[in-house]
């Protein structure tokens, strides 16, 4: 089966780090960058070098450290930004400058107070200037999600002529619906001269909870790069979550799109980023949340114990989680109690299980979860000892 590769552009250290309270020291960023490289991301956006001396130093240190991934620095469409980014990336094995400008009505009118023609001129100049320093230049049309497709196509055509290698189509405000975002990518592929020479990139924000759906709509319609962050952290409601898009493509092979990510490192990487940034992962977060592979209702537990596939579409070991969790609560049935009891040394007969289950229910009704320690107490109550059973 012929599959196409989707490049994974990780912006945990740039868009992710913009989250209030998530600021990291250079040494912490280096640990994360090294992990991202091992994880198999294609591009690491290391920071916004002109924004602060600290960011400059971090981008420079990451550029020196990273062996496999392209290292990218963000700029505005301003010559000084581009010069500083080029300097910070000097030692990168594969450097990329990511430059751009707002293209929506509101950005042009209120942010830049510039006409569409002036915006195109600035976009072309910035791209051509970046090209003097590095071969690989990515252009972002900020707020592309709310930019008319016809104008966006003009901007894209102009920057391709100026040497852009990647075109980033950000849904900066998280406004688009998946169909709309997918149609935008399709429109660009059909209307922009030279589009076949460049990679189209999806950069989606999660203001309406659609960042992952939009990125997937983008690649289904021909984009071949997704910009994302570990745990979906990022400005406001966050960015597309790396672990989500990677697992969607893996679990839906008929899309014929794949990534180079070593999925078995996803859970540990999520934990590492969460700990370093002090950003908790919500328990019900897809793929990496504490409950993503936990089953608590009796019907589900019975199914999973019989065969994992009844209620799990992903094998937890594929994302680095050691096992599905059978959580004992008041909604658990005898199958779950027998399963967990066996794990702590009690292989119960039917009569013993019936006796244990009555005690279990009275314990479970009083607390949120029944732990292994509780199980030992329950067994003591019915006068059983671990390993000493029929
Ligand atoms: O959301 C956005 O538009 C961005 C750009 C700077 C790429 O983060
Ligand atoms: Zn963004």
């Amino acid at each position: 089966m012929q599959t196409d590769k989707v490049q994974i552009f990780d912006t945990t250290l740039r868009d992710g780090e913009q989250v209030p309270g998530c600021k990291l020291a250079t040494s912490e960023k280096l640990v994360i960058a090294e992990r991202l490289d091992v994880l198999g991301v294609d591009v690491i956006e290391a920071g916004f070098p002109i924004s602060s001396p600290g960011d400059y130093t971090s981008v420079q240190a990451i550029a020196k450290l990273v062996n496999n991934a392209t290292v990218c620095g963000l700029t505005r469409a301003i010559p000084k930004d581009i010069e500083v980014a080029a300097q910070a990336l000097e030692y990168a094995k594969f450097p990329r400058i990511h430059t751009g400008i707002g293209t929506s009505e509101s950005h042009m009118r209120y942010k830049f107070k510039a006409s569409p023609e002036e915006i195109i001129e600035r976009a072309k100049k910035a791209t051509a200037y970046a090209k003097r320093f590095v071969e690989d230049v990515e252009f972002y049309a900020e707020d592309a999600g709310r930019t008319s497709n016809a104008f966006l196509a003009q901007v894209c055509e102009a920057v391709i002529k100026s040497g852009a290698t990647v075109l980033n189509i950000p849904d900066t405000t998280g406004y688009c619906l998946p169909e709309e975002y997918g149609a935008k990518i399709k429109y660009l592929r059909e209307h922009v001269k030279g589009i076949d020479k460049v990679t189209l990139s999806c950069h989606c924000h999660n203001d309406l909870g659609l960042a992952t759906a939009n990125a997937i709509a983008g690649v289904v319609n021909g984009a071949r790069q997704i910009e994302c962050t570990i745990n979906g952290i990022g400005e406001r409601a966050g960015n597309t979550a790396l672990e989500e898009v990677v697992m969607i493509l893996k679990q839906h092979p008929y899309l014929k799109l794949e990534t180079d990510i070593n999925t078995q490192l996803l859970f540990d990487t999520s934990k590492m980023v969460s700990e370093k940034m002090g950003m908790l992962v919500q328990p019900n977060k897809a793929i990496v949340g504490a409950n993503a592979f936990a089953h608590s209702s009796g019907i589900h537990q019975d199914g999973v114990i019989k065969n994992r596939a009844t209620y799990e579409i992903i094998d937890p070991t594929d994302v680095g989680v050691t096992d599905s969790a059978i959580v004992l609560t008041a909604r658990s049935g005898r199958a779950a109690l027998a399963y967990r009891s066996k794990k702590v040394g009690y292989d119960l007969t039917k009569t013993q299980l019936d006796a244990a289950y009555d005690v279990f229910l009275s314990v479970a009704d009083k607390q949120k979860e029944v732990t292994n320690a509780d199980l030992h107490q329950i067994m003591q109550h019915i006068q059983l000892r671990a390993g000493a059973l029929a």
Side-chain angles (χ1 to χ4, degrees):
M1 182 174 66
Q2 178 72 33
T3 57
D4 257 8
K5 177 168 164 186
V6 172
Q7 306 244 342
I8 295 296
F9 174 116
D10 181 278
T11 183
T12 305
L13 297 174
R14 200 278 297 170
D15 224 335
E17 213 231 3
Q18 285 174 211
V19 175
C22 281
K23 187 110 196 76
L24 296 176
T26 297
S27 58
E28 293 171 309
K29 289 191 191 177
L30 285 173
V31 174
I32 293 180
E34 206 166 17
R35 167 59 67 88
L36 293 172
D37 204 24
V38 173
L39 182 66
V41 308
D42 300 279
V43 185
I44 296 173
E45 187 162 52
F48 182 9
I50 200 158
S51 66
S52 72
D55 234 40
Y56 179 92
T57 308
S58 297
V59 175
Q60 192 176 48
I62 292 169
K64 283 185 188 158
L65 174 84
V66 167
N67 285 320
N68 306 304
T70 292
V71 178
C72 175
L74 185 76
T75 82
R76 294 164 295 182
I78 293 175
K80 187 72 189 159
D81 280 32
I82 294 169
E83 287 158 20
V84 171
Q87 258 172 37
L89 292 168
E90 191 185 346
Y91 298 106
K93 290 177 192 68
F94 309 103
R96 176 182 294 179
I97 291 178
H98 189 190
T99 190
I101 194 163
T103 53
S104 64
E105 278 291 323
S106 77
H107 278 229
M108 291 192 288
R109 183 176 310 163
Y110 301 117
K111 225 172 104 172
F112 298 108
K113 298 184 182 19
S115 67
E117 294 72 28
E118 283 166 337
I119 291 291
I120 293 188
E121 229 16 70
R122 288 199 212 176
K124 278 168 38 182
K125 276 199 182 131
T127 306
Y129 194 52
K131 200 76 182 175
R132 282 166 55 175
F133 300 97
V134 292
E135 171 49 36
D136 192 4
V137 175
E138 172 165 341
F139 177 84
Y140 63 87
E142 196 180 8
D143 205 13
R146 293 187 300 167
T147 301
S148 83
N149 289 350
F151 181 59
L152 193 56
Q154 281 181 44
V155 176
C156 288
E157 206 163 296
V159 297
I160 291 174
K161 281 196 193 123
S162 303
T165 46
V166 181
L167 295 185
N168 179 8
I169 311 301
D171 184 20
T172 305
T173 55
Y175 175 73
C176 288
L177 294 173
E179 273 181 21
E180 193 182 357
Y181 188 76
K184 195 174 276 291
I185 298 292
K186 187 162 184 273
Y187 180 94
L188 295 175
R189 288 190 61 219
E190 288 170 355
H191 293 85
V192 174
K193 237 186 260 147
I195 199 85
D196 294 339
K197 292 189 292 189
V198 301
T199 303
L200 273 167
S201 182
C202 312
H203 178 114
C204 300
H205 278 269
N206 206 30
D207 300 66
L208 293 172
L210 291 170
T212 293
N214 284 343
I216 295 296
V219 291
V220 165
N221 282 282
R224 286 294 175 266
Q225 178 175 278
I226 295 178
E227 309 199 0
C228 45
T229 59
I230 301 292
N231 300 335
I233 60 169
E235 281 278 336
R236 308 180 308 281
N239 289 59
T240 300
L242 181 149
E243 60 279 3
E244 293 176 11
V245 285
V246 166
M247 290 313 292
I248 289 169
L249 298 183
K250 189 174 162 85
Q251 297 308 112
H252 290 277
Y254 66 88
L255 292 175
K256 298 188 181 151
L257 296 171
E258 60 185 9
T259 70
D260 281 349
I261 298 297
N262 177 352
T263 62
Q264 291 182 348
L265 298 179
L266 286 173
F267 187 69
D268 275 359
T269 307
S270 156
K271 258 176 65 183
M272 174 201 263
V273 169
S274 163
E275 279 165 18
K276 293 225 174 296
M277 290 198 163
M279 276 281 275
L280 293 178
V281 176
Q282 69 192 63
N284 59 326
K285 167 82 184 60
I287 319 294
V288 292
N291 293 346
F293 299 98
H295 306 275
S296 69
S297 94
I299 296 171
H300 289 208
Q301 291 180 331
D302 182 52
V304 169
I305 290 166
K306 286 176 176 147
N307 188 316
R308 194 191 58 71
T310 52
Y311 287 98
E312 278 179 359
I313 56 154
I314 297 171
D315 181 340
T317 59
D318 273 359
V319 297
V321 174
T322 38
D323 205 358
S324 321
I326 299 293
V327 183
L328 291 178
T329 70
R331 283 162 313 285
S332 300
R334 281 176 173 70
L337 178 61
Y339 175 84
R340 281 280 304 272
S341 300
K342 194 167 178 184
K343 291 225 161 201
V344 291
Y346 305 94
D347 198 356
L348 304 177
T349 63
K350 169 137 187 1
T351 322
Q352 288 163 342
L353 179 59
D354 285 344
Y357 192 64
D358 286 343
V359 184
F360 163 77
L361 281 183
S362 66
V363 174
D365 264 340
K366 290 191 211 96
Q367 53 198 58
K368 289 199 170 81
E369 193 181 326
V370 175
T371 63
N372 285 346
D374 295 324
L375 282 180
H376 288 296
Q377 263 182 287
I378 291 168
M379 300 312 158
Q380 249 181 28
H381 197 84
I382 61 160
Q383 294 176 342
L384 295 181
R385 265 195 200 87
L389 296 172

